């Protein structure tokens, strides 16, 4: 089997057949058929060996996470995920790696009915990039810029476990099953696709949490021209993190850590009940953590006491999305 | 100026404003509005330092070529180029490099009214990937699979100069201006976008020549389930190549070399006159080089004598497009 055949075996067999892909892998371009009245949401995320993942991640974890971080961006726009293109730069053709990577990638692709329509395979330092496309009704996408004064601020799931797991030495004292629970949050994030789509028509602004709540909520507020008042004791954390660190340190990590891939969104107060129903239907917990204010900047309180927790967000040039 | 600002300065200022991009760089996703009744053609090409370019290429050449090879794939489908996403992995933030690269990229983007809508910037070994999107009327795209027995086979422009320039020692004896002419063909390919779009409705199959005529025409014939008879003395070459190598060696290089980014396409014989008009209107010369046959395989003749030139195409795993 030559190298072409090997690559073909892992990537060219369609794992998901969508009716809106008249031509998939194997020509100069793929062809896809968008839905009338919809816009395309398009995002690109790259992962580099040693920067975005370390040797603890299996090839399947890497495949999962690469797709998950892209789907998380589509979720933040309220878009339905549809098609992905994969740029894979590999130091060598390693069948074990290809098998694991494609298994992790395609398992998540099947879960969300996403079709791999093309890409490129090149030789070089391990660098993996996906451009993902979703569809959302024209004019209905959630953006970062629509938050209004008085809107309630929510986050999905719980925050901080991925940041805790990032530094392995922090969690070595925990029982094995708790270590694994935390590492799953870092290695295998769950993109909040159903929640994002359900928020269309309710949320006024939305962002996914990749660089940490403090940084990403900052982006949303800056684009909206607003500020926020946050009750940091309300930021949802896991019982593992609270037991290990205590409530306040767990909340600090939840505020400043990255890699959560949860959604942070703003909602007019009169939609509070609707959000609870949406959360139940999407099987994704959401928690009210604060309110949008007219003053720029963040007003932080923990147990009703003002605090001044500095952002420790992930501010490197190599993690600047979009 | 921090690293975010620097990247922003070079990539986030839109060089092309398209009315069909309601939301560009700066949110979780970009939003674009496809035309009703059209399909999207999507392609990804990656360039890796040391594999796809060497130190002879300036940062501006690299920016030009990265976009050109992607637009060439859109041209081969007959699509109108619209939007691109750029994944840039850089070893460091080098302002000189960023300025040159973006200048080369955006100059070509302006020429074809293509809008950079998003991407990702990461740190790592220099790896550059574009996913490009074009639009083509539904059901009208040119593919590799439609060639019929008796169709005429054409190529655009002339072939072999890029392959000649690839090996610098081959051309050192030439006058400087001739060396530069050859190198321009390698460093600054011209995607045949106007020709590709004009061929819609006339060509039965089309492919762009990246790996060399022998390999790429082979792909087209395989997907069409056909063979071909070629008059290799008719394959267009430059006078520089013919003077340096002689007619036969120049034709051999044109047949087997890569990196031409010309189009090879098949046309029913009754469209021969229309093709001449299209060529004139698109200001792109085209040359008849053979005919599609029912027997699989290539029948090669040079000056009416059968020849058996082995393909020396670029058959590495790292150059497997789509």
């Amino acid at each position: 089997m030559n190298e072409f055949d090997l690559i073909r075996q892992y990537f060219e067999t369609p794992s998901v057949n969508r009716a809106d892909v008249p031509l998939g892998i194997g020509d100069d371009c793929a062809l896809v058929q968008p839905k009338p009245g919809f816009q395309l949401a398009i995002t690109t995320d790259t992962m580099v060996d040693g920067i975005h993942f370390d040797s603890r991640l299996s090839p399947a974890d890497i495949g999962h996470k690469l797709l998950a971080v892209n789907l998380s961006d589509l979720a933040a726009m309220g878009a339905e995920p549809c098609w992905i293109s994969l740029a894979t730069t590999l130091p060598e053709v390693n069948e074990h790696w290809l098998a694991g990577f494609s298994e992790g990638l395609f398992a998540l692709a099947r879960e969300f009915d996403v079709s791999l329509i093309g890409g490129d395979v090149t030789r070089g330092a391990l660098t993996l990039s996906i451009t993902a496309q979703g569809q959302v009704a024209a004019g209905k996408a959630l953006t970062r810029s629509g938050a209004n004064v008085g809107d309630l601020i929510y986050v999905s799931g719980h925050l901080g476990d991925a940041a805790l797991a990032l530094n392995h030495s922090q969690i070595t004292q925990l029982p094995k099953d708790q270590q694994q629970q935390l590492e799953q949050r870092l290695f295998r994030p769950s993109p909040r696709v159903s929640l994002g789509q359900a928020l269309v028509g309710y949320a006024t602004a939305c962002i996914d949490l990749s660089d940490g709540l403090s940084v990403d909520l900052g982006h949303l507020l800056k684009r909206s021209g607003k500020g926020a008042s946050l009750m940091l004791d309300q930021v949802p954390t896991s019982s593992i993190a609270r037991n290990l660190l205590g409530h306040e340190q767990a909340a600090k990590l939840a505020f400043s850590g990255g890699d959560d891939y949860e959604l942070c969104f703003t909602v007019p107060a009169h939609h509070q009940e609707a959000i609870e129903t949406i959360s139940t239907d999407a099987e994704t917990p959401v928690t009210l953590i604060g309110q949008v204010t007219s003053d720029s900047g963040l007003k932080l309180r923990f147990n009703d006491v003002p605090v001044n927790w500095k952002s420790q967000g992930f501010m490197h040039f190599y993690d600047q999305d979009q």
Side-chain angles (χ1 to χ4, degrees), chain A residues 1-14 25-26 98 106 116 121:
Chain A
M1 185 184 290
N2 72 19
E3 292 172 323
F4 277 107
D5 294 332
L6 194 65
I7 304 287
R8 210 169 275 134
Q9 180 180 321
Y10 287 106
F11 293 126
E12 296 200 1
T13 307
I25 292 173
L98 282 169
F106 285 131
L116 176 67
V121 180

Side-chain angles (χ1 to χ4, degrees), chain A residues 147-169:
Chain A
N148 297 311
V149 174
D151 282 356
L152 307 178
I153 302 171
Y154 285 85
V155 292
S156 66
H158 57 265
L159 311 183
D161 281 2
L164 189 52
L166 193 61
N167 184 348
H168 187 66
S169 66

